[in-house]
């Protein structure tokens, strides 16, 4: 389902969406369960790194950090 976001509700996520749009990606991101087939949902950064090794995901957000192939920012 579609969800909207105002900048004052979550400034970090709003800035992430604005930056994503500026890179030509449009103003939308998909939020989905983060797990690999046969695995439980990722519950920690270690789970994410174990399930999705470098090069398999372009970027993901954990807490207040945006992780890309170049590292956290």
């Amino acid at each position: 389902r579609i969800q909207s976001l105002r900048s004052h509700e979550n400034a970090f996520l709003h800035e992430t969406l604005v930056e994503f749009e500026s890179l030509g990606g449009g103003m939308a991101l998909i939020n989905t369960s983060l797990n690999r087939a046969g695995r439980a949902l990722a519950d920690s950064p270690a789970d994410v790194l174990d399930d999705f090794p470098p090069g398999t995901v372009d970027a993901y957000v954990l807490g207040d950090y945006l992780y890309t192939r170049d590292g956290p920012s």
Side-chain angles (χ1 to χ4, degrees):
R1 74 175 188 226
I2 295 174
Q3 294 178 307
S4 61
L5 175 71
R6 293 183 180 97
S7 61
H8 70 275
E9 293 173 328
N10 185 325
F12 177 79
L13 184 54
H14 186 268
E15 289 177 31
T16 300
L17 288 166
V18 169
E19 181 65 21
F20 184 72
E21 181 182 37
S22 76
L23 295 172
M27 188 94 171
L29 293 174
I30 297 172
N31 178 17
T32 186
S33 301
L34 188 57
N35 67 313
R36 202 173 58 197
R39 299 271 311 217
L41 291 177
D43 191 40
S44 70
D47 290 344
V48 173
L49 295 174
D50 185 46
D51 283 356
F52 300 96
T56 60
V57 175
D58 292 331
Y60 51 90
V61 175
L62 289 172
D64 289 337
Y65 296 95
L66 171 65
Y67 291 83
T68 66
R69 291 181 185 200
D70 296 329
S73 59

